[in-house]
């Protein structure tokens, strides 16, 4: 999967987040991928190392629900 496909899918699946939260999430994963690519890792390998966007979105949703209200 390409970086853009990964980020697009993660953005779509993170629909329960606010626009700001989703923006930070996408920026975080974009930077992680870019850093790995700068280290010489092929883009698709860097993306694959992050896991499945659906699983990441599910983990985020679970973590968000478990977080204490502030």
């Amino acid at each position: 999967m390409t970086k853009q496909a990964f980020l697009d899918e993660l953005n779509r699946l993170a629909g329960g987040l606010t626009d700001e939260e989703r923006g930070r999430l996408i920026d975080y994963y974009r930077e992680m991928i870019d850093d790995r690519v700068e280290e010489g890792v092929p883009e698709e390998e860097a993306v694959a190392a992050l896991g499945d966007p659906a699983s990441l979105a599910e983990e985020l949703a679970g973590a968000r629900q478990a977080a204490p209200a502030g």
Side-chain angles (χ1 to χ4, degrees), residues 20 25 36 47 53:
E20 182 180 338
L25 175 72
R36 299 285 315 271
V47 170

Side-chain angles (χ1 to χ4, degrees), residues 6-46:
F6 175 88
L7 295 174
D8 289 348
E9 183 71 0
L10 186 58
N11 186 47
R12 184 183 70 78
L13 293 168
L17 300 176
T18 66
D19 289 345
E20 182 180 338
E21 290 170 326
R22 220 170 34 248
R24 284 195 309 254
L25 175 72
I26 297 306
D27 288 345
Y28 174 78
Y29 281 102
R30 177 181 292 118
E31 186 172 330
M32 285 182 66
I33 295 166
D34 288 345
D35 287 348
R36 299 285 315 271
V37 169
E38 287 175 11
E39 294 169 358
V41 176
E43 180 179 302
E44 289 189 358
E45 188 177 318

Side-chain angles (χ1 to χ4, degrees), residues 38-69:
E38 287 175 11
E39 294 169 358
V41 176
E43 180 179 302
E44 289 189 358
E45 188 177 318
V47 170
L50 296 175
D52 177 51
S55 297
L56 291 172
E58 190 174 304
E59 288 176 30
L60 280 165
R64 191 168 193 246
Q65 289 176 354

